[in-house]
Amino acid sequence: MTSWDEKVGGEPADYGNAVLSANGSYTILPEPVKTFLCNFEAAIRNRNVYDIIQCYEAQFPKLTERFFAKYNWPATQVVTEIVSRSLGGKEPDQLFVILYTEMYYKHIYAHIAGGPSFEDREASYFNYCDFFNFVLGTDTPVTHELPYQLLWDIIDEFIYQFQNFTQYRAKLKNKKDEEISTLRDSVTTWNIHSVLNVLHSLVEKSCINEQLRELASGGDISAVAGEFGERQLYKMLGFFSLIGLCRLHCILGDFFQALKVLENIDVSRLDLYCNVPTCNITTSYYVGFSFMMMRRYEDAIRTLNDALAYHNRVKSSLAGRPDVADYVAKQTDQMCHLLCLCLSLHPMRVDEIVHAQIKEKYNEKNLKLSRMDLDEIANTFQYACPKFLSPVPPNFDLPENYQMNPMRQIKEEFISEIKQQARIPDIRSYLKLYTTLSIEKLAGLMNTEPQVLHRELMCYKHKMQNIVTADAAAAAAAEAPTASSSELDFYIDGDMIHVADTKVARKFGELFIRNILKLEDVNRALTRLDQFIYGVAAGEAGPQAGSARS
Amino acid sequence: KYIELQVTENVYDCEANLAVLKLYQFNPSHYQTNVTIKILLKAIANLPHPDFSLCKYLIEPDKLREEPLSSVVALGNQLETCDFEEFWQSLASTKSSIPAIGSVVGFTDSVRKFICHVVGISYQKIKTDQLCRILDIKRDQLAVYLEEYGWKLVPDDPSHVFVFNYEETIKTRNISEKIGFPQVKQLAPVLQNAASDCHKRAK
């Protein structure tokens, strides 16, 4: 890990070209970096959101790629010095210092080999505390304005670093004794309670839940927003904190609460609330996953389907941001896996394009999943699930690697749930072939006793009943509306099974219309081309003919 | 204490129960087996909701595998797979070893309610014997349940109970395509051109 501190701090302002020394660190700060830092500080100080976006989304990644692909950015004290000198001795804006430090550590997590050390993690945590104190610790709201992408990234990274730290803390096997004793003593760093506290405070301060309820019922938001909630900064921080809470509950294994915190948000229309693609995709992922774990397969499929369609639409706009591209690609892939899993448990119609995508990439996997290949299911689940956490510190006296335990626990439960549904696809495939079928015949086909078959048919019906309401509170009520939306339905009349299948005729109309219009376009283009060519030819022939004549 | 209240008063608050389990997750030193058993039993009584699964996700697997939780989990699993006859047998045998089961007021009633729900969605007509067996009741107690759910004994055939007329609701559907006028409207200019071309050529 190389850094600037020793070389640059305290030297006179001479920012010539960068010179790479023998050990791979810059001896003088490159000019573009210095300009960037000053511009960024000015943008934040002047509340110029457009400039902040430019610095944050465009220039920072470019400079990282160009100069800091393997090294740290300069330390905060150095940067503060430089900017202060350029301002003629004044202190740079406090928010700028905090934000820069946040970006500094984010860079270490993302790009530096070996990852952050314990000191880095701790320092980063305290920096987040500074940020939240800056925003929440005052009686009157701060007047800064920040772009939504930046706000989302802060919350997202905050939870990510917490997750990362908890995993790091649980991997005790190869740690040295001093490391273990430091971990044991540092009870406050990245404490789950503090993390939850921060998110809850943001939600409360911005009165975001009240605002969302008003929005949903068509009322006046400003009446309930409160002093802090009126400002965009707080409102969006509150909104993103709700999503952060959803994610946190999900990785702790409490799927009910994960869905409950989002009860005022219409997850299918996330783009109404904010236009941050990474936020929308992440939300859909966690919501879809929670639905699946709660056996609400229809809702899960719908959410994942919408998310994948949305991703197709915004793919091009994300292309300009290489730093998030990997992350988004991985999450989208995980969502595809989840969708395959849900569809094998509960076949349903999905969007044409998404369906084609899945078929193309995962055909073999789908075959195995539909045959209830438990290994395949376990692998798919493991790939697609989030990194689960345990909220308590591990047993420091027994140095083992504990970080996989929560994941294993949830996976085991999920697999036992699947095992209970193991016979359902077989039953479904047999039922698809008949309109009426006697219990005895089906029992014979499936090699079971009629008694057992009665039980399995009831189990099929029970498992396929989904709760179809978006309202989490209503869902928990005793009389929640349920429906079996499986396309294949049946009822048992004494000893006969009557099967009802929904046949959807292939849609030709749209295809024909699309192609007719296309053909018309092609025809028009050809006619224009025709005229152009003959026009030119006539023009050429003209002078020639003229010269021949003359 | 709230759990005790739920148990004796036969009410149910899913969120509160999950919160207690979460408390145990965050503070393993506070864990109490008795309370957990009662929470699991209440969750089972709330089937068909997935509360039972949700609870299991929040409890450590080691605790789930050992007694007394493992018997309770087994009961839950039997109900989830609709293995009702096994369930009544297991219940009888574990009732003595786990006093908590007896203390949950209305447990067996809730379970019977769930079983009737499953029967209601699966059957149009079911054998009376079978029904009594899975509900673990005698023939003479059947009348009460028939009354409650509006089921009737088939008039000519007392060996069957008529549950619900599904013939109307569950039928094969053929969803054929309907091409609406707005879609065809898009084609109007194209068709117009084509028509006028044809006219020109015909002349």
Side-chain angles (χ1 to χ4, degrees):
Chain A
M1 186 171 78
T2 51
S3 73
W4 294 67
D5 315 349
E6 306 85 55
K7 311 280 194 281
V8 179
E11 283 181 6
D14 177 10
Y15 308 113
N17 296 317
V19 173
L20 204 58
S21 73
N23 70 348
S25 65
Y26 294 106
T27 51
I28 329 175
L29 195 60
E31 189 63 36
V33 177
K34 176 232 166 193
T35 329
F36 161 75
L37 290 168
C38 295
N39 286 344
F40 194 35
E41 197 273 340
I44 293 179
R45 190 164 22 92
N46 297 327
R47 305 357 182 193
N48 188 334
V49 176
Y50 181 72
D51 278 351
I52 300 180
I53 297 180
Q54 282 298 309
C55 289
Y56 176 70
E57 285 187 25
Q59 290 179 24
F60 185 75
K62 255 193 247 155
L63 290 171
T64 307
E65 211 182 303
R66 192 168 149 200
F67 296 113
F68 301 105
K70 291 205 200 85
Y71 311 115
N72 290 0
W73 275 72
T76 312
Q77 306 98 293
V78 173
V79 166
T80 319
E81 272 267 349
I82 296 173
V83 173
S84 162
R85 224 175 283 141
S86 82
L87 289 174
K90 270 200 319 187
E91 281 294 315
D93 190 295
Q94 194 189 356
L95 189 58
F96 162 74
V97 176
I98 299 179
L99 285 179
Y100 174 78
T101 319
E102 198 261 340
M103 284 152 70
Y104 169 82
Y105 284 112
K106 193 156 80 174
H107 172 72
I108 297 187
Y109 270 86
H111 294 120
I112 303 297
S117 66
F118 177 77
E119 289 74 27
D120 288 332
R121 294 175 193 268
E122 200 175 30
S124 177
Y125 172 71
F126 286 130
N127 186 50
Y128 278 114
C129 292
D130 287 341
F131 174 73
F132 291 120
N133 282 333
F134 180 81
V135 164
L136 290 170
T138 56
D139 290 327
T140 54
V142 295
T143 51
H144 285 90
E145 289 296 335
L146 291 174
Y148 298 167
Q149 179 75 56
L150 182 59
L151 292 173
W152 164 250
D153 284 346
I154 293 180
I155 304 271
D156 200 28
E157 184 71 17
F158 179 56
I159 300 182
Y160 167 70
Q161 290 194 7
F162 166 69
Q163 211 172 0
N164 201 302
F165 177 78
T166 317
Q167 300 258 312
Y168 161 81
R169 189 176 55 181
K171 279 191 222 166
L172 293 176
K173 209 163 184 186
N174 293 326
K175 288 213 194 339
K176 301 187 234 32
D177 286 333
E178 322 97 57
E179 272 188 278
I180 296 186
S181 63
T182 337
L183 282 173
R184 198 199 292 256
D185 295 331
S186 63
V187 181
T188 52
T189 316
W190 288 118
N191 185 320
I192 173 95
H193 295 286
S194 333
V195 174
L196 281 171
N197 200 13
V198 161
L199 294 174
H200 279 294
S201 312
L202 281 171
V203 167
E204 250 183 68
K205 202 102 187 196
S206 63
C207 305
I208 186 71
N209 273 320
E210 288 81 2
Q211 290 194 45
L212 287 168
R213 275 197 278 268
E214 280 301 310
L215 190 69
S217 63
D220 184 17
I221 309 180
S222 46
V224 290
E227 200 190 340
F228 283 81
E230 269 182 336
R231 307 210 55 105
Q232 284 294 80
L233 181 82
Y234 288 91
K235 183 160 121 182
M236 291 322 284
L237 272 178
F239 182 78
F240 294 136
S241 300
L242 283 178
I243 306 200
L245 279 168
C246 170
R247 176 176 169 181
L248 209 50
H249 286 301
C250 194
I251 58 182
L252 287 171
D254 191 353
F255 307 109
F256 180 82
Q257 202 57 245
L259 290 174
K260 178 113 199 297
V261 295
L262 294 185
E263 63 183 342
N264 291 318
I265 300 180
D266 184 0
V267 182
S268 59
R269 298 299 320 278
L270 274 175
D271 44 353
L272 272 181
Y273 301 99
C274 73
N275 210 358
V276 181
T278 42
C279 171
N280 295 349
I281 293 176
T282 304
T283 314
S284 304
Y285 168 68
Y286 284 101
V287 169
F289 187 81
S290 301
F291 275 140
M292 184 180 86
M293 297 311 273
M294 286 190 55
R295 232 167 51 210
R296 289 170 65 164
Y297 298 122
E298 191 189 333
D299 290 330
I301 292 175
R302 220 177 346 105
T303 313
L304 293 169
N305 182 43
D306 289 342
L308 288 171
Y310 174 79
H311 173 251
N312 282 334
R313 289 203 303 270
V314 299
K315 238 194 309 227
S316 47
S317 74
L318 285 173
R321 297 206 52 199
D323 48 333
V324 293
D326 285 334
Y327 172 65
V328 170
K330 170 105 199 268
Q331 249 184 2
T332 323
D333 204 23
Q334 284 177 311
M335 286 201 278
C336 282
H337 278 73
L338 284 179
L339 193 55
C340 293
L341 204 49
C342 289
L343 284 174
S344 67
L345 293 170
H346 185 108
M348 215 173 102
R349 299 193 68 72
V350 286
D351 198 33
E352 288 285 327
I353 306 179
V354 174
H355 189 64
Q357 263 181 331
I358 299 185
K359 231 171 148 172
E360 200 187 306
K361 271 207 276 183
Y362 301 112
N363 209 13
E364 217 184 279
K365 174 191 284 293
N366 273 332
L367 279 170
K368 284 202 207 144
L369 287 176
S370 58
R371 263 185 263 126
M372 285 283 151
D373 181 343
L374 285 176
D375 286 328
E376 184 66 39
I377 295 178
N379 287 341
T380 313
F381 184 80
Q382 190 155 338
Y383 177 75
C385 71
K387 287 202 171 54
F388 293 109
L389 297 179
S390 159
V392 289
N395 184 356
F396 290 112
D397 298 320
L398 210 61
E400 283 294 322
N401 276 343
Y402 293 102
Q403 81 276 17
M404 297 296 277
N405 284 358
M407 201 275 291
R408 262 190 231 121
Q409 168 185 355
I410 305 225
K411 186 173 81 161
E412 255 177 55
E413 268 313 312
F414 183 72
I415 297 289
S416 68
E417 167 73 32
I418 298 296
K419 280 200 195 131
Q420 289 178 353
Q421 301 188 21
R423 300 281 272 169
I424 296 181
D426 285 338
I427 299 180
R428 194 180 285 130
S429 54
Y430 280 117
L431 288 181
K432 249 188 147 49
L433 302 170
Y434 295 88
T435 42
T436 50
L437 180 60
S438 74
I439 295 262
E440 274 180 54
K441 186 155 179 201
L442 184 57
L445 284 171
M446 292 187 62
N447 278 329
T448 53
E449 300 295 309
Q451 280 285 61
V452 179
L453 188 60
H454 273 283
R455 179 165 63 74
E456 286 177 354
L457 288 170
M458 281 199 281
C459 184
Y460 179 119
K461 275 285 187 169
H462 164 55
K463 292 289 178 186
M464 288 295 118
Q465 283 276 352
N466 289 311
I467 298 178
V468 281
T469 166
D471 191 352
E479 266 74 46
T482 61
S484 177
S485 72
S486 192
E487 287 178 343
L488 183 73
D489 211 352
F490 68 90
Y491 63 90
I492 308 174
D493 189 18
D495 276 327
M496 285 300 277
I497 309 173
H498 294 258
V499 183
D501 195 4
T502 313
K503 289 201 220 318
V504 183
R506 283 192 58 188
K507 287 201 171 88
F508 293 110
E510 221 183 286
L511 187 69
F512 268 110
I513 291 178
R514 227 190 352 247
N515 281 321
I516 291 177
L517 289 172
K518 236 197 225 167
L519 182 64
E520 181 65 17
D521 281 338
V522 172
N523 268 334
R524 250 182 269 144
L526 279 176
T527 326
R528 270 202 299 270
L529 199 59
D530 213 30
Q531 292 169 346
F532 180 70
I533 294 178
Y534 281 117
V536 170
E540 281 179 358
Q544 271 187 0
S547 61
R549 257 202 297 269
S550 62
Chain B
K1 269 172 283 189
Y2 190 34
I3 313 285
E4 276 304 320
L5 193 71
Q6 290 184 51
V7 162
T8 48
E9 301 281 318
N10 198 9
V11 288
Y12 181 62
D13 188 345
C14 172
E15 246 189 279
N17 293 356
L18 285 176
V20 171
L21 286 178
K22 211 160 167 167
L23 192 72
Y24 291 159
Q25 192 191 22
F26 277 50
N27 304 302
S29 51
H30 289 207
Y31 176 79
Q32 288 183 53
T33 318
N34 245 339
V35 180
T36 314
I37 293 183
K38 296 206 174 101
I39 294 181
L40 280 174
L41 288 170
K42 287 303 273 184
I44 294 176
N46 202 34
L47 280 169
H49 289 260
D51 301 347
F52 182 57
S53 311
L54 290 174
C55 290
K56 279 195 285 179
Y57 287 128
L58 290 173
I59 304 178
E60 261 177 74
D62 298 330
K63 300 213 169 58
L64 282 178
R65 273 194 278 265
E66 48 179 48
E67 293 292 338
L69 282 182
S70 60
S71 326
V72 181
V73 170
L75 286 175
N77 287 338
Q78 282 162 344
L79 282 181
E80 286 266 21
T81 50
C82 301
D83 204 352
F84 299 129
E85 297 172 41
E86 278 290 317
F87 167 77
W88 293 115
Q89 283 173 8
S90 315
L91 186 64
S93 54
T94 48
K95 218 165 180 173
S96 45
S97 54
I98 307 180
I101 299 184
S103 68
V104 178
V105 172
F107 181 66
T108 41
D109 285 333
S110 309
V111 172
R112 290 207 174 94
K113 194 164 150 200
F114 164 63
I115 299 177
C116 290
H117 160 83
V118 177
V119 169
I121 55 177
S122 320
Y123 287 89
Q124 175 167 294
K125 217 164 59 178
I126 182 173
K127 283 213 187 71
T128 323
D129 287 335
Q130 194 181 6
L131 188 57
C132 291
R133 253 201 324 264
I134 55 180
L135 282 173
D136 194 38
I137 52 175
K138 303 274 187 308
R139 205 56 191 261
D140 38 10
Q141 292 166 307
L142 192 56
V144 182
Y145 287 91
L146 295 183
E147 183 76 41
E148 173 101 17
Y149 293 99
W151 301 344
K152 295 186 189 44
L153 282 172
V154 174
D156 310 319
D157 183 10
S159 68
H160 282 82
V161 170
F162 191 78
V163 175
F164 190 76
N165 190 354
Y166 276 115
E167 261 174 55
E168 295 304 306
T169 39
I170 299 186
K171 270 198 294 207
T172 309
R173 288 179 289 170
N174 268 322
I175 299 181
S176 54
E177 189 187 6
K178 289 191 182 62
I179 304 183
F181 192 68
Q183 287 163 301
V184 181
K185 222 166 57 173
Q186 295 171 38
L187 291 180
V190 181
L191 295 174
Q192 215 173 24
N193 286 341
S196 54
D197 277 341
C198 285
H199 274 292
K200 278 188 220 149
R201 292 211 195 116
K203 288 200 189 107

mmCIF file of all heavy atoms in Angstrom, chain A residues 154-173:
data_model
loop_
_atom_site.group_PDB
_atom_site.id
_atom_site.type_symbol
_atom_site.label_atom_id
_atom_site.label_comp_id
_atom_site.label_asym_id
_atom_site.label_seq_id
_atom_site.Cartn_x
_atom_site.Cartn_y
_atom_site.Cartn_z
ATOM 1 N N ILE A 154 -23.761 6.577 -0.908
ATOM 2 C CA ILE A 154 -23.275 6.649 0.472
ATOM 3 C C ILE A 154 -23.971 5.590 1.329
ATOM 4 O O ILE A 154 -23.321 4.830 2.048
ATOM 5 C CB ILE A 154 -23.508 8.051 1.071
ATOM 6 C CG1 ILE A 154 -22.629 9.075 0.365
ATOM 7 C CG2 ILE A 154 -23.224 8.052 2.564
ATOM 8 C CD1 ILE A 154 -22.783 10.477 0.884
ATOM 9 N N ILE A 155 -25.317 5.533 1.235
ATOM 10 C CA ILE A 155 -26.048 4.566 2.047
ATOM 11 C C ILE A 155 -25.661 3.146 1.639
ATOM 12 O O ILE A 155 -25.405 2.275 2.478
ATOM 13 C CB ILE A 155 -27.578 4.750 1.889
ATOM 14 C CG1 ILE A 155 -28.000 6.167 2.232
ATOM 15 C CG2 ILE A 155 -28.329 3.726 2.691
ATOM 16 C CD1 ILE A 155 -28.323 6.382 3.674
ATOM 17 N N ASP A 156 -25.593 2.925 0.336
ATOM 18 C CA ASP A 156 -25.272 1.601 -0.177
ATOM 19 C C ASP A 156 -23.905 1.144 0.328
ATOM 20 O O ASP A 156 -23.746 0.028 0.824
ATOM 21 C CB ASP A 156 -25.271 1.674 -1.711
ATOM 22 C CG ASP A 156 -25.420 0.315 -2.341
ATOM 23 O OD1 ASP A 156 -26.026 -0.564 -1.699
ATOM 24 O OD2 ASP A 156 -24.930 0.129 -3.459
ATOM 25 N N GLU A 157 -22.921 2.046 0.221
ATOM 26 C CA GLU A 157 -21.561 1.712 0.617
ATOM 27 C C GLU A 157 -21.482 1.520 2.126
ATOM 28 O O GLU A 157 -20.754 0.652 2.608
ATOM 29 C CB GLU A 157 -20.609 2.841 0.182
ATOM 30 C CG GLU A 157 -19.159 2.572 0.454
ATOM 31 C CD GLU A 157 -18.550 1.504 -0.443
ATOM 32 O OE1 GLU A 157 -19.154 1.199 -1.493
ATOM 33 O OE2 GLU A 157 -17.497 0.967 -0.086
ATOM 34 N N PHE A 158 -22.245 2.309 2.859
ATOM 35 C CA PHE A 158 -22.279 2.192 4.320
ATOM 36 C C PHE A 158 -22.677 0.775 4.719
ATOM 37 O O PHE A 158 -22.003 0.125 5.521
ATOM 38 C CB PHE A 158 -23.266 3.230 4.858
ATOM 39 C CG PHE A 158 -23.446 3.233 6.346
ATOM 40 C CD1 PHE A 158 -22.361 3.395 7.196
ATOM 41 C CD2 PHE A 158 -24.701 3.112 6.912
ATOM 42 C CE1 PHE A 158 -22.519 3.413 8.568
ATOM 43 C CE2 PHE A 158 -24.871 3.140 8.284
ATOM 44 C CZ PHE A 158 -23.782 3.289 9.116
ATOM 45 N N ILE A 159 -23.774 0.293 4.133
ATOM 46 C CA ILE A 159 -24.232 -1.047 4.481
ATOM 47 C C ILE A 159 -23.260 -2.095 3.964
ATOM 48 O O ILE A 159 -22.989 -3.097 4.628
ATOM 49 C CB ILE A 159 -25.642 -1.297 3.926
ATOM 50 C CG1 ILE A 159 -26.582 -0.274 4.530
ATOM 51 C CG2 ILE A 159 -26.105 -2.699 4.216
ATOM 52 C CD1 ILE A 159 -27.998 -0.453 4.110
ATOM 53 N N TYR A 160 -22.712 -1.844 2.780
ATOM 54 C CA TYR A 160 -21.765 -2.797 2.232
ATOM 55 C C TYR A 160 -20.556 -2.944 3.128
ATOM 56 O O TYR A 160 -20.095 -4.056 3.408
ATOM 57 C CB TYR A 160 -21.334 -2.360 0.825
ATOM 58 C CG TYR A 160 -20.135 -3.130 0.321
ATOM 59 C CD1 TYR A 160 -20.256 -4.467 -0.018
ATOM 60 C CD2 TYR A 160 -18.883 -2.552 0.238
ATOM 61 C CE1 TYR A 160 -19.171 -5.196 -0.439
ATOM 62 C CE2 TYR A 160 -17.788 -3.268 -0.186
ATOM 63 C CZ TYR A 160 -17.934 -4.590 -0.521
ATOM 64 O OH TYR A 160 -16.843 -5.300 -0.927
ATOM 65 N N GLN A 161 -20.030 -1.801 3.639
ATOM 66 C CA GLN A 161 -18.844 -1.884 4.492
ATOM 67 C C GLN A 161 -19.169 -2.579 5.810
ATOM 68 O O GLN A 161 -18.342 -3.310 6.357
ATOM 69 C CB GLN A 161 -18.275 -0.486 4.744
ATOM 70 C CG GLN A 161 -17.663 0.108 3.494
ATOM 71 C CD GLN A 161 -16.806 1.328 3.775
ATOM 72 O OE1 GLN A 161 -16.554 1.674 4.915
ATOM 73 N NE2 GLN A 161 -16.370 1.981 2.711
ATOM 74 N N PHE A 162 -20.406 -2.367 6.291
ATOM 75 C CA PHE A 162 -20.821 -3.068 7.500
ATOM 76 C C PHE A 162 -20.847 -4.571 7.263
ATOM 77 O O PHE A 162 -20.338 -5.364 8.067
ATOM 78 C CB PHE A 162 -22.207 -2.574 7.937
ATOM 79 C CG PHE A 162 -22.876 -3.448 8.949
ATOM 80 C CD1 PHE A 162 -22.388 -3.536 10.239
ATOM 81 C CD2 PHE A 162 -23.983 -4.209 8.616
ATOM 82 C CE1 PHE A 162 -22.989 -4.360 11.178
ATOM 83 C CE2 PHE A 162 -24.591 -5.025 9.550
ATOM 84 C CZ PHE A 162 -24.094 -5.105 10.828
ATOM 85 N N GLN A 163 -21.428 -4.941 6.118
ATOM 86 C CA GLN A 163 -21.497 -6.354 5.767
ATOM 87 C C GLN A 163 -20.090 -6.941 5.693
ATOM 88 O O GLN A 163 -19.799 -8.003 6.231
ATOM 89 C CB GLN A 163 -22.165 -6.451 4.385
ATOM 90 C CG GLN A 163 -22.950 -7.671 4.140
ATOM 91 C CD GLN A 163 -23.705 -7.555 2.822
ATOM 92 O OE1 GLN A 163 -23.639 -6.568 2.107
ATOM 93 N NE2 GLN A 163 -24.443 -8.574 2.502
ATOM 94 N N ASN A 164 -19.210 -6.190 4.995
ATOM 95 C CA ASN A 164 -17.844 -6.626 4.788
ATOM 96 C C ASN A 164 -17.115 -6.803 6.115
ATOM 97 O O ASN A 164 -16.399 -7.784 6.336
ATOM 98 C CB ASN A 164 -17.132 -5.573 3.918
ATOM 99 C CG ASN A 164 -15.925 -6.146 3.239
ATOM 100 O OD1 ASN A 164 -15.027 -6.633 3.887
ATOM 101 N ND2 ASN A 164 -15.922 -6.117 1.923
ATOM 102 N N PHE A 165 -17.340 -5.849 7.023
ATOM 103 C CA PHE A 165 -16.662 -5.922 8.307
ATOM 104 C C PHE A 165 -17.130 -7.137 9.098
ATOM 105 O O PHE A 165 -16.332 -7.834 9.728
ATOM 106 C CB PHE A 165 -16.915 -4.644 9.115
ATOM 107 C CG PHE A 165 -16.300 -4.683 10.490
ATOM 108 C CD1 PHE A 165 -14.943 -4.452 10.641
ATOM 109 C CD2 PHE A 165 -17.057 -4.976 11.605
ATOM 110 C CE1 PHE A 165 -14.357 -4.504 11.889
ATOM 111 C CE2 PHE A 165 -16.481 -5.034 12.856
ATOM 112 C CZ PHE A 165 -15.124 -4.793 13.004
ATOM 113 N N THR A 166 -18.453 -7.378 9.088
ATOM 114 C CA THR A 166 -18.975 -8.504 9.855
ATOM 115 C C THR A 166 -18.417 -9.824 9.332
ATOM 116 O O THR A 166 -18.053 -10.706 10.104
ATOM 117 C CB THR A 166 -20.511 -8.537 9.790
ATOM 118 O OG1 THR A 166 -21.006 -7.213 9.952
ATOM 119 C CG2 THR A 166 -21.086 -9.411 10.849
ATOM 120 N N GLN A 167 -18.315 -9.913 7.997
ATOM 121 C CA GLN A 167 -17.737 -11.120 7.420
ATOM 122 C C GLN A 167 -16.276 -11.246 7.833
ATOM 123 O O GLN A 167 -15.795 -12.325 8.191
ATOM 124 C CB GLN A 167 -17.813 -11.039 5.894
ATOM 125 C CG GLN A 167 -19.225 -10.928 5.367
ATOM 126 C CD GLN A 167 -19.724 -12.230 4.841
ATOM 127 O OE1 GLN A 167 -19.040 -12.874 4.088
ATOM 128 N NE2 GLN A 167 -20.895 -12.646 5.207
ATOM 129 N N TYR A 168 -15.570 -10.124 7.773
ATOM 130 C CA TYR A 168 -14.148 -10.107 8.114
ATOM 131 C C TYR A 168 -13.956 -10.522 9.568
ATOM 132 O O TYR A 168 -13.057 -11.295 9.904
ATOM 133 C CB TYR A 168 -13.613 -8.693 7.862
ATOM 134 C CG TYR A 168 -12.315 -8.329 8.540
ATOM 135 C CD1 TYR A 168 -11.099 -8.729 7.997
ATOM 136 C CD2 TYR A 168 -12.301 -7.564 9.699
ATOM 137 C CE1 TYR A 168 -9.911 -8.377 8.609
ATOM 138 C CE2 TYR A 168 -11.116 -7.212 10.308
ATOM 139 C CZ TYR A 168 -9.920 -7.616 9.758
ATOM 140 O OH TYR A 168 -8.748 -7.265 10.372
ATOM 141 N N ARG A 169 -14.892 -10.042 10.436
ATOM 142 C CA ARG A 169 -14.748 -10.342 11.849
ATOM 143 C C ARG A 169 -14.988 -11.816 12.129
ATOM 144 O O ARG A 169 -14.452 -12.371 13.079
ATOM 145 C CB ARG A 169 -15.756 -9.496 12.640
ATOM 146 C CG ARG A 169 -15.569 -9.544 14.129
ATOM 147 C CD ARG A 169 -16.528 -8.612 14.817
ATOM 148 N NE ARG A 169 -17.898 -8.885 14.454
ATOM 149 C CZ ARG A 169 -18.931 -8.199 14.914
ATOM 150 N NH1 ARG A 169 -18.720 -7.195 15.733
ATOM 151 N NH2 ARG A 169 -20.143 -8.489 14.553
ATOM 152 N N ALA A 170 -15.829 -12.430 11.276
ATOM 153 C CA ALA A 170 -16.176 -13.827 11.525
ATOM 154 C C ALA A 170 -15.124 -14.805 11.025
ATOM 155 O O ALA A 170 -15.143 -15.975 11.365
ATOM 156 C CB ALA A 170 -17.525 -14.138 10.885
ATOM 157 N N LYS A 171 -14.189 -14.283 10.188
ATOM 158 C CA LYS A 171 -13.183 -15.208 9.649
ATOM 159 C C LYS A 171 -12.003 -15.254 10.603
ATOM 160 O O LYS A 171 -11.005 -14.575 10.412
ATOM 161 C CB LYS A 171 -12.685 -14.694 8.289
ATOM 162 C CG LYS A 171 -13.587 -15.014 7.150
ATOM 163 C CD LYS A 171 -12.879 -14.705 5.837
ATOM 164 C CE LYS A 171 -13.867 -14.049 4.921
ATOM 165 N NZ LYS A 171 -13.427 -13.406 3.780
ATOM 166 N N LEU A 172 -12.113 -16.076 11.629
ATOM 167 C CA LEU A 172 -11.086 -16.003 12.663
ATOM 168 C C LEU A 172 -9.918 -16.935 12.448
ATOM 169 O O LEU A 172 -8.918 -16.861 13.136
ATOM 170 C CB LEU A 172 -11.715 -16.326 14.026
ATOM 171 C CG LEU A 172 -12.715 -15.289 14.532
ATOM 172 C CD1 LEU A 172 -13.332 -15.767 15.815
ATOM 173 C CD2 LEU A 172 -12.016 -13.972 14.760
ATOM 174 N N LYS A 173 -10.045 -17.834 11.475
ATOM 175 C CA LYS A 173 -9.094 -18.933 11.428
ATOM 176 C C LYS A 173 -7.647 -18.494 11.264
ATOM 177 O O LYS A 173 -6.768 -18.941 11.979
ATOM 178 C CB LYS A 173 -9.463 -19.865 10.272
ATOM 179 C CG LYS A 173 -9.058 -21.280 10.500
ATOM 180 C CD LYS A 173 -9.823 -22.172 9.546
ATOM 181 C CE LYS A 173 -9.496 -23.628 9.822
ATOM 182 N NZ LYS A 173 -10.100 -24.473 8.834
#
